[in-house]
Structure formats: C-alpha cells, structure tokens
Amino acid sequence: MPTRQRNQVLKGSHGGMQLVLTEDVPNLGKQGELVEVKAGYGRNYLLPNGLATAPSKHNLRLLERYKQRVLQAREARIADLKVLAEQIQRVTVTIEANANEEGHLYGSVGAPEISKALKGKNLNVDPDMVRLEGPIKEIALYAVKVHLGYEIDTEIKVLVVRPAEKVEKK
C-alpha cells in the first residue's frame, strides 16, 4: 500500500509559514500576495477565517494570473468608490435632533446617524467609514470626513436641525 504524501506548508526564509492572501489583511498585505507569517497566526487566524490559503505548487503557478484578476477587480472597485465619493460630496444630509433653546442637543449625533441618513439617499456608507473628531452636540452645519477605503476620502456636509414643530389641528 503506497503512503500518502502529507501536504506540507512551505517555510519562509525566516522560519515562518508562507501563505497566499485571499483577502486584504491590514498591516500584512493585499489580496493575492505571498506572505510569510508566524505559524500560530496563520494556523489560528488566517486559515480558519478564510483570509489566506496554503500555496501549493499549482497555486504558485496560478498566482500571476490570479494577481491580474485581483488587480482588475481592485481597479473596478476603486472606480466605483470614486463615483460614490463624488456623489457623497454633492449631497448635504439633514439630521433632526431634539435641542434646547441655545442649540445644544439633548443627545448627540454620531456616525451611525450620519450613515443611516446617507443610506436613506441610496449612498451605501457604513458607520465605520464616517470619521468624526467627536460627537456632534450642537445645531449647526458640519463638514464630516468619510473614508471609503483604498485611500479614497471625501467630505460630506451634515446639517443638524431641530425637528419641525408639529402643528395641531383644531
């Protein structure tokens, strides 16, 4: 009975394991890159979460073609994000919040409220993309930075107003 060859993970020049990234990993590398990481990090985090795969000889041969496809997909994504950035820059978001007579809000307006208002205008922006220096606590017009990823930043105008007084019918 022939013995089966065990799939060994390639060792890097520094003694770590070599992996091919299937997703962008912050502070490590971009999708499609061959990286060397410590064995525990690769075995316990990257591989189980599907962020990387073990490079077989076949995968290493296909890596160049894979990089071309990843590059094309990345360029398409960047183009979409630039269009989104232009759309966001043209929009002014109005958020209603309860406030006292001096204009101080009873609560505050944060990234989730701004994200929800943008999604209401069919602009898909997650709360973690909104970069606030601190919570908004007064009624005014603010310029808020939005980081869309791939080093694409834009700015949006956020107008915080008191809710319109409801007129009672008699």
Side-chain angles (χ1 to χ4, degrees):
M1 178 163 133
T3 58
R4 251 181 54 179
Q5 186 77 21
R6 198 173 98 184
N7 289 336
Q8 292 282 15
V9 177
L10 295 175
K11 296 284 185 189
S13 60
H14 298 290
M17 67 185 332
Q18 288 186 341
L19 296 174
V20 176
L21 295 177
T22 56
E23 297 289 330
D24 288 354
V25 179
N27 302 322
L28 183 60
K30 305 263 187 233
Q31 185 178 22
E33 286 183 4
L34 182 66
V35 295
E36 181 180 348
V37 295
K38 297 220 175 199
Y41 183 59
R43 194 173 48 245
N44 297 324
Y45 179 71
L46 294 175
L47 292 173
N49 290 329
L51 299 174
T53 184
S56 65
K57 291 180 182 178
H58 180 70
N59 285 349
L60 289 175
R61 282 195 304 269
L62 295 177
L63 189 59
E64 283 305 315
R65 274 191 261 160
Y66 180 71
K67 281 184 183 179
Q68 293 295 328
R69 285 190 302 217
V70 167
L71 187 63
Q72 290 170 351
R74 182 184 310 272
E75 288 172 357
R77 177 83 174 130
I78 288 172
D80 290 344
L81 288 176
K82 284 183 181 177
V83 170
L84 179 64
E86 290 174 12
Q87 291 173 344
I88 288 173
Q89 207 164 13
R90 285 188 255 131
V91 171
T92 300
V93 174
T94 304
I95 297 177
E96 293 183 351
N98 293 326
N100 62 12
E101 297 302 318
E102 292 86 35
H104 296 288
L105 299 181
Y106 291 128
S108 65
V109 174
E113 291 84 7
I114 295 170
S115 172
K116 185 176 178 184
L118 283 169
K119 285 182 181 175
K121 297 188 180 234
N122 291 329
L123 299 172
N124 193 15
V125 175
D126 294 328
D128 59 334
M129 293 178 177
V130 178
R131 305 282 193 234
L132 285 173
E133 294 174 7
I136 297 172
K137 296 193 175 216
E138 293 186 2
I139 290 179
L141 178 66
Y142 295 91
V144 177
K145 294 185 188 300
V146 179
H147 177 73
L148 298 174
Y150 296 104
E151 299 174 5
I152 298 175
D153 294 318
T154 187
E155 208 168 77
I156 183 170
K157 293 176 194 80
V158 177
L159 180 62
V160 180
V161 296
R162 252 188 221 110
E165 297 298 322
K166 294 188 173 134
V167 180
E168 295 180 19
K169 293 184 180 179
K170 293 185 178 180

